[in-house]
Amino acid sequence: MTGGVYWSCVSRGETILVEAGMDEGEGQVTSLAQKLLKKKPTPGWEFQRSRTKGLRGVKFHLYDDGGDERLIWVFACVADSSLEESQQKSFLEKLVYLTEPLRDDDYRWREGELLACQATFGPLLQQRMEQVAQQGRLAMVNQHINTTKQIMSDNIEMLLDRHESLEGLQEKSEELNVMAKQFKKRSEQIRRFQQWQNAKHGLLVGTAVTGVVAAVTVPPLVALLG
């Protein structure tokens, strides 16, 4: 499987809902995946590398305020470092689109426990990983451009809106309110700049290609390790 994706998952916060992968390197893939998932969420891309083992981990977050509470969706994968970083990002971007209707409407995705979506989505996830190894760049072709950049922008706006709401509860006078508005205007500019500095932008070059997947069982690799 040289040059392909060795492991991937979709999580809701810290709860892994579905994963697929293999680890033939004495736990190296599993170890890197665990380190990657432990990294603090940001509005953009996150990376974890194992230079000596030739592996690269990539993770992306999507903030969701559509329900009673904010959800943070996590899309992560570990791949051979010979796979281009842009291709690895594109693989995750495909997962964002493939899971969109499920994340919106399926209770198992929004409320399910550990591996709640393994049986239904695991085979499709495994298929997409195999396509990367078999087709390389062809598996990454997509017509959507700059979409993850827009998602990161939305993530940042959600964080800022939440910050504003909390601050609003503490404003008790007109004078303080005027001062707060001036302060917030400046602090928002600084905060946006810092958020964008931390978010690593990637060009979206993958597409959510649908297909028929055989009913197979995909065993978890990381979720049950605790």
Side-chain angles (χ1 to χ4, degrees):
M1 194 176 169
T2 302
V5 177
Y6 296 142
W7 169 86
S8 181
C9 85
V10 181
S11 301
R12 187 190 65 247
E14 297 181 355
T15 303
I16 296 179
L17 298 173
V18 57
E19 67 169 323
M22 56 184 294
D23 192 344
E24 298 178 348
E26 300 179 351
Q28 297 164 7
V29 172
T30 302
S31 176
L32 189 63
Q34 290 178 302
K35 292 178 182 178
L36 180 65
L37 291 176
K38 289 179 181 178
K39 294 179 75 70
K40 185 178 179 180
T42 70
W45 296 100
E46 296 167 19
F47 303 90
Q48 186 73 42
R49 291 178 173 82
S50 176
R51 301 184 185 280
T52 58
K53 307 301 180 182
L55 301 173
R56 182 197 303 113
V58 179
K59 182 170 67 159
F60 183 74
H61 294 97
L62 191 156
Y63 290 74
D64 182 351
D65 274 346
D68 296 333
E69 60 178 330
R70 168 172 293 166
L71 301 178
I72 300 179
W73 300 100
V74 180
F75 303 85
C77 69
V78 172
D80 191 285
S81 58
S82 62
L83 188 70
E84 294 180 13
E85 184 179 293
S86 60
Q87 291 177 283
Q88 210 168 338
K89 287 182 176 180
S90 180
F91 170 79
L92 294 180
E93 288 160 351
K94 274 190 171 184
L95 294 185
V96 172
Y97 282 99
L98 284 171
T99 60
E100 183 173 9
L102 302 172
R103 289 183 281 105
D104 288 343
D105 302 323
D106 193 327
Y107 75 94
R108 288 169 296 189
W109 287 78
R110 300 194 70 84
E111 301 177 15
E113 298 180 352
L114 184 71
L115 298 175
C117 308
Q118 188 71 13
T120 55
F121 197 79
L124 180 59
L125 181 58
Q126 183 69 51
Q127 183 192 65
R128 293 298 180 241
M129 292 169 58
E130 292 171 354
Q131 285 182 346
V132 175
Q134 296 168 1
Q135 301 177 21
R137 287 181 177 274
L138 293 178
M140 300 300 172
V141 176
N142 197 332
Q143 297 176 349
H144 299 283
I145 303 297
N146 288 333
T147 305
T148 36
K149 183 176 180 179
Q150 180 60 49
I151 291 174
M152 287 189 283
S153 177
D154 293 342
N155 288 344
I156 292 171
E157 291 300 325
M158 286 184 190
L159 293 176
L160 291 173
D161 288 343
R162 190 176 192 183
H163 180 74
E164 289 173 0
S165 297
L166 293 175
E167 282 191 345
L169 295 175
Q170 301 173 1
E171 295 171 1
K172 298 180 179 180
S173 70
E174 262 186 53
E175 182 178 357
L176 288 177
N177 187 39
V178 172
M179 294 175 63
K181 285 182 179 179
Q182 295 174 341
F183 174 78
K184 282 192 288 184
K185 183 177 180 180
R186 177 56 180 162
S187 63
E188 283 173 12
Q189 294 173 342
I190 296 173
R191 201 175 297 113
R192 281 196 178 91
F193 176 78
Q194 292 174 335
Q195 293 279 17
W196 279 112
Q197 287 293 96
N198 293 332
K200 305 296 189 298
H201 301 314
L203 181 65
L204 188 57
V205 292
T207 189
V209 181
T210 58
V212 179
V213 182
V216 297
T217 300
V218 179
L221 184 65
V222 176
L224 301 180
L225 296 180

